[in-house]
Amino acid sequence: MILLAELALVAAVAGLILWPLLRPPAPAARERADPAQEAARAKAAAFSALRELEFDFATGKLSPDDYARLRARYEARAVEALHPRSRPAPEAETALEQEIRAARARRRCPACGQRRPPGARFCPSCGRPAMEEGAP
C-alpha cells in the first residue's frame, strides 16, 4: 500500500515537472505587440545600453578599446531604433565619425591624455588649464 502511494506521488511530481514542457506553445507575444510599442521598447533598450556602457567605462570596468567598439555598436542600434528604415549615406557617416572623434579629442587633456569632466577648468590628473589647445 505504501509503495502505491509513493508511486502516485512520484507520478504527480513528474507530471507537474513535465507539464510546461509538454503543453502547446502560447502564441508569440511579438505577433500581438503594437509596432509603436515595439519601437519605443527598442529605443529605450538602446539608450539604456548606452547609459550602462558609459557607467561601466567611468567605473573602470571596460578598457578604452572595448568601450569604443561597444559604443559604436550600441550607437548603431540606437540610430536603427530611432530611424528603422533610414540609413545615412556613407559620406555623411564618415563626416559624422570625424566630428565624433574631434569632440572626443576635445574632452581629453592634450598633455596627459586623461578624460576631463564636462565643464572642468583644469585637468584633474596633471592640472593643466583646459583653455589651452583641445579645450571644450
Side-chain angles (χ1 to χ4, degrees):
M1 186 66 169
I2 294 175
L3 182 61
L4 287 176
E6 289 175 352
L7 286 174
L9 182 62
V10 168
V13 169
L16 287 173
I17 291 173
L18 293 176
W19 173 249
L21 299 175
L22 298 177
R23 70 178 176 185
R30 291 193 185 274
E31 295 172 358
R32 297 182 304 229
D34 180 27
Q37 288 178 342
E38 278 297 315
R41 260 188 237 131
K43 179 182 171 183
F47 288 129
S48 175
L50 284 169
R51 279 191 302 272
E52 200 58 38
L53 181 69
E54 288 291 331
F55 178 76
D56 286 346
F57 182 67
T59 57
K61 293 181 182 178
L62 290 173
S63 69
D65 294 335
D66 290 340
Y67 171 75
R69 183 174 39 82
L70 290 171
R71 176 99 183 163
R73 182 185 310 164
Y74 292 157
E75 283 176 347
R77 286 183 189 169
V79 167
E80 181 65 30
L82 290 173
H83 308 287
R85 293 192 178 105
S86 68
R87 287 284 301 157
E91 55 274 352
E93 198 169 282
T94 304
L96 182 60
E97 287 296 324
Q98 288 174 348
E99 287 182 42
I100 290 171
R101 277 195 289 274
R104 285 184 180 152
R106 287 191 303 270
R107 291 175 52 193
R108 296 206 174 268
C109 176
C112 66
Q114 293 296 318
R115 286 182 58 154
R116 281 195 314 258
R121 296 176 63 190
F122 296 94
C123 174
S125 287
C126 68
R128 185 175 183 176
M131 293 304 182
E132 295 182 17
E133 62 183 80

